[in-house]
Amino acid sequence: MRLCGFLLPLLLAAPATAETRRIAFWPDAVPAAIQKHVDGAYVHGAVRALGKFHRVQGSPGFRAAADWLTGELTAGGLADAKVEPLPADGKTSYAHFKSYLGWQATEGRLDEVAPARRTLAEFPREAVALADYSQDADVTAELVDVGAGGDAAAYQGKDVRGKIVLADGPLAAVHRLAVEERGAAGIVSDYPNQHTAWSGMDPDLVRWGHLSPYQTANRFAFMVSPRAAAALRKELASATVRLTARVRAKMVPASFDVVSATIPGSDAAAGDIVLTAHLCHELAGANDNASGSAALLGVARALRAAIAGGALPAPRRTIRFLWLPEISGSQAWLISHPDLARRLRAGIHLDMVGGRPEITHAALHLSRSAGSLPHIVNAIAAAWVADVATASTRLAETGEGDGIVWPPGGRDALVTDLRPLELGSDHQVFEAFGVPMVYFHDWPDVTIHTNKDVPDNLDATKLGRVAYMTAGIAWTLAALPDAEAARLPAIERAATDERLAVARQTALAQGWTADDTRLAEREAIAVGVEDLASIAAMWPATAAEVRRASAGLTAARPRAAGGVRDARVPERLPAVRGPIDVYYYDHLAVALGDPTRKPVALEKRDGVFAFEALNLVDGKRSVSDIRDLLSGRYAPVPLAEVAEWLDLLARAGVVKLRAR
Ligand SMILES: [Zn+2]
């Protein structure tokens, strides 16, 4: 779309005397200083460097990447950069979460010996060829096709004892059924990648696979492409196929290695801003998540250099950077450092932030903090995103301005959206510990968790822009002076008006009842009140203005709905802290046995409702209060399902329910 001609004179006629700013709450010198010190080409180079390591949690490759990262931080002037090893030994627990073992692999080779002679998989030449947590093997055996291999029916009439099974079902389930229960020697798998519109269109993707890190009797699994698996199935139709597998790999006591560094704040009592990225996974794991790790490295070095060179002052709050083994490392770090965890005021998480859409089909999203944790970080993030959107669109459409680009990266306009909480990475652990986080992430990415997630898929400009926005949001949270923070209440009031309008539009479009519509209006305003409170908490000088603005909002807030109430009040039990699922660890399965089904409506939106229902448990809200907050801040959900879920959590020892 183009600007209509008649609008241009109006724009040109804007008063020249008004101060226009890129970011409403900063003089232009601040975004300019941050932009000058961020280097998208350096970030892309760091993706290439990290992409050389097979970064499985608790493996030598992860540790090598952590050491490389620490070296870059130290060289960039972040003097306290370090690697902290937290035990991952199958014995140490972090609250309810029991750690699992690490993995050391040196060799994996799968050859067909009859009827053809050829190599099917070779590790470490192809890092994803050997599934994580495979162990030593020297086997020559017949291959048996068991289809998906994920249930008992797949094995009816088939003798797999001592044989190698070919399966495309979930790896740990196939291992349990074929190897542990029926004596198979190992697995060849073409388990498909995450489902997208492009699923199945690339027959040469080899997916990264993993057996259970809790199953110390693991044998092995080799990962092959759908094309290779199809060729084996065709051969099996008319011949006996024999394979030789040789594996040198062990599950071993290891550590969740957490890299940390800080930019120290001047006021120790003001708390910390936390910036996170997970440093795993497979080689190259370029977008997931060398991209977020490298962008965060770029942020740390840029802010440090800007401060050292005098372009920015020392911040008031400490900016704390963490590179973690995904989810497990976050849980381990938060439980190991209750003193530091308590200091965290808000944060930003980066996971997959550099994909070129023409290759990965990715769109960059920014998800807001959890509905259970409203915070001004959302409005601050929106302002920095808008700055890049404006500058990049101007360059792309007119060739004017700098566009915030880093050659050889692209010159495209930044296309992104702001959306409600999405799960699937470390931010959900921090949010379960009460830290509001915004989350930059590409989705989908057709190469995720495969041999094709490589650095060439990424773009230096996109990486640099994410680093710039992340640095800007972090800098605002850490260093915004009181005089500028005085603008935030008005910005939040405008955001609340917008939230209210969106809630009403959604209610109309979805045909919500009058009661549910009123709840949505009520919570749109409640979120505004909590956002305002977060401004006063971060910048106490704004307290009087925040009080005024809150009073106005509260007066406009509709009353709560009537109807059937469940007055029981859930409260958390101390044994379970943080989220109940921690990467490979499923607390409900451990506590209640497999399989445990969550209420159907709560499973919608990828588990956000179930996750948030627990986050909303504070020992004061009733079951009905929690239902109302979920319904008002996300979408209507039946009271019976919220009650069923909280009852299930009570049976699993996560909460207890007391009568009010
Ligand atoms: Zn990731």
Side-chain angles (χ1 to χ4, degrees):
M1 205 181 82
R2 299 171 60 165
L3 276 180
C4 298
F6 66 85
L7 280 176
L8 273 174
L10 288 176
L11 291 175
L12 294 172
T17 48
E19 187 197 10
T20 60
R21 289 175 155 196
R22 292 170 64 171
I23 309 276
F25 39 81
W26 282 119
D28 283 354
V30 170
I34 292 172
Q35 185 183 335
K36 182 173 161 236
H37 287 86
V38 165
D39 182 350
Y42 169 81
V43 173
H44 200 181
V47 169
R48 293 185 195 284
L50 289 170
K52 295 198 169 86
F53 303 110
H54 192 40
R55 308 183 304 278
V56 176
Q57 301 185 359
S59 76
F62 189 102
R63 178 62 194 228
D67 287 340
W68 179 86
L69 182 58
T70 307
E72 287 299 291
L73 288 162
T74 307
L78 289 110
D80 63 353
K82 64 171 191 283
V83 185
E84 180 182 6
L86 299 165
D89 52 14
K91 296 191 189 99
T92 304
S93 284
Y94 299 95
H96 56 300
F97 163 58
K98 190 172 115 180
S99 67
Y100 39 83
L101 292 164
W103 187 57
Q104 285 181 4
T106 53
E107 185 188 348
R109 193 183 165 94
L110 183 69
D111 291 302
E112 180 178 348
V113 291
R117 291 197 77 91
R118 62 202 173 107
T119 298
L120 294 167
E122 203 181 346
F123 173 96
R125 191 185 58 75
E126 175 84 285
V128 297
L130 183 64
D132 300 359
Y133 311 110
S134 291
Q135 300 196 89
D136 286 350
D138 278 295
V139 179
T140 299
E142 199 180 304
L143 182 68
V144 182
D145 184 0
V146 295
D151 57 27
Y155 299 87
Q156 239 152 39
K158 284 177 185 159
D159 177 16
V160 300
R161 183 162 299 277
K163 297 174 183 167
I164 297 172
V165 298
L166 174 62
D168 66 1
L171 227 45
V174 173
H175 190 275
R176 182 165 46 79
L177 287 155
V179 179
E180 294 159 49
E181 295 177 7
R182 291 172 179 78
I187 303 165
V188 178
S189 173
D190 60 331
Y191 184 47
N193 207 16
Q194 266 97 332
H195 202 83
T196 67
W198 297 268
S199 288
M201 291 175 72
D202 182 349
D204 296 313
L205 282 179
V206 181
R207 186 191 165 111
W208 172 50
H210 41 258
L211 299 172
S212 166
Y214 290 108
Q215 171 53 279
T216 52
N218 276 342
R219 302 298 297 274
F220 65 85
F222 280 97
M223 308 304 293
V224 299
S225 68
R227 188 194 299 278
L232 286 170
R233 289 192 180 96
K234 196 167 166 215
E235 260 186 326
L236 280 169
S238 60
T240 298
V241 175
R242 293 180 68 77
L243 308 179
T244 292
R246 178 180 160 85
V247 178
R248 291 293 174 267
K250 283 185 173 55
M251 295 168 73
V252 291
S255 50
F256 295 128
D257 296 327
V258 177
V259 179
S260 65
T262 65
I263 291 176
S266 60
D267 178 357
D272 296 359
I273 303 307
V274 66
L275 273 57
T276 55
H278 73 76
L279 186 56
C280 41
H281 304 300
E282 84 285 356
L283 184 157
N287 207 22
D288 187 16
N289 185 33
S291 68
S293 297
L296 208 53
L297 167 64
V299 171
R301 287 175 56 118
L303 290 179
R304 170 74 187 111
I307 295 164
L312 295 175
R316 178 165 157 244
R317 273 178 262 278
T318 293
I319 304 175
R320 185 170 298 280
F321 299 88
L322 295 171
W323 291 263
L324 306 134
E326 188 174 19
I327 299 186
S328 304
S330 291
Q331 174 82 10
W333 188 88
L334 285 158
I335 290 292
S336 301
H337 296 289
D339 48 335
L340 296 178
R342 266 193 301 274
R343 296 180 53 81
L344 307 179
R345 297 289 184 268
I348 308 161
H349 180 59
L350 307 181
D351 186 1
M352 304 172 64
V353 295
R356 291 163 57 190
E358 70 273 25
I359 297 173
T360 62
H361 301 294
L364 182 71
H365 310 291
L366 175 66
S367 8
R368 294 187 202 98
S369 67
S372 60
L373 294 168
H375 198 277
I376 193 63
V377 64
N378 296 302
I380 289 170
W384 285 91
V385 169
D387 177 47
V388 176
T390 302
S392 64
T393 301
R394 181 167 171 236
L395 174 70
E397 295 182 0
T398 68
E400 286 162 22
D402 66 29
I404 316 185
V405 300
W406 284 272
R411 309 172 72 79
D412 302 61
L414 176 79
V415 179
T416 185
D417 64 356
L418 197 58
R419 30 170 81 187
L421 172 66
E422 290 191 329
L423 300 180
S425 199
D426 301 82
H427 62 297
Q428 74 194 55
V429 185
F430 284 82
E431 299 215 279
F433 279 83
V435 185
M437 303 275 278
V438 291
Y439 166 38
F440 281 108
H441 59 118
D442 273 350
W443 200 254
D445 179 338
V446 299
T447 73
I448 181 180
H449 297 173
T450 73
N451 57 331
K452 294 197 177 177
D453 181 6
V454 296
D456 281 349
N457 298 352
L458 274 52
D459 177 77
T461 289
K462 184 169 170 182
L463 290 163
R465 286 171 176 171
V466 170
Y468 166 75
M469 294 185 282
T470 302
I473 300 162
W475 191 251
T476 306
L477 293 167
L480 190 69
D482 288 343
E484 297 290 351
R487 295 170 185 252
L488 294 177
I491 290 170
E492 177 50 41
R493 278 301 310 266
T496 299
D497 289 345
E498 188 183 353
R499 195 178 308 114
L500 200 49
V502 169
R504 286 174 178 145
Q505 286 163 353
T506 308
L508 285 170
Q510 304 283 323
W512 291 354
T513 64
D515 275 355
D516 283 335
T517 302
R518 197 158 52 245
L519 268 182
E521 292 171 348
R522 184 176 158 79
E523 292 307 320
I525 291 172
V527 165
V529 172
E530 290 186 44
D531 284 349
L532 285 166
S534 75
I535 300 172
M538 304 271 289
W539 295 276
T542 64
E545 179 49 35
V546 161
R547 251 195 317 277
R548 262 192 302 279
S550 296
L553 282 179
T554 306
R557 195 178 175 203
R559 272 209 305 273
V564 181
R565 306 293 289 177
D566 184 336
R568 294 176 301 157
V569 175
E571 67 187 62
R572 292 290 294 247
L573 292 170
V576 177
R577 280 184 286 158
I580 52 170
D581 293 335
V582 185
Y583 216 56
Y584 300 111
Y585 178 87
D586 176 350
H587 184 72
L588 291 189
V590 170
L592 301 173
D594 214 22
T596 306
R597 296 253 303 278
K598 292 172 186 166
V600 173
L602 291 190
E603 273 299 86
K604 284 184 192 157
R605 282 184 40 82
D606 290 333
V608 163
F609 285 93
F611 174 75
E612 282 282 79
L614 179 56
N615 293 340
L616 288 165
V617 169
D618 66 354
K620 298 187 203 85
R621 297 184 181 112
S622 69
V623 175
S624 274
D625 293 340
I626 290 171
R627 183 269 163 189
D628 289 352
L629 260 76
L630 286 174
S631 298
R633 295 186 187 187
Y634 291 101
V637 57
L639 174 61
E641 293 220 7
V642 177
E644 183 189 340
W645 174 233
L646 290 166
D647 281 331
L648 191 68
L649 292 176
R651 285 210 303 285
V654 180
V655 301
K656 71 175 177 199
L657 286 150
R658 56 181 166 78
R660 185 154 70 178

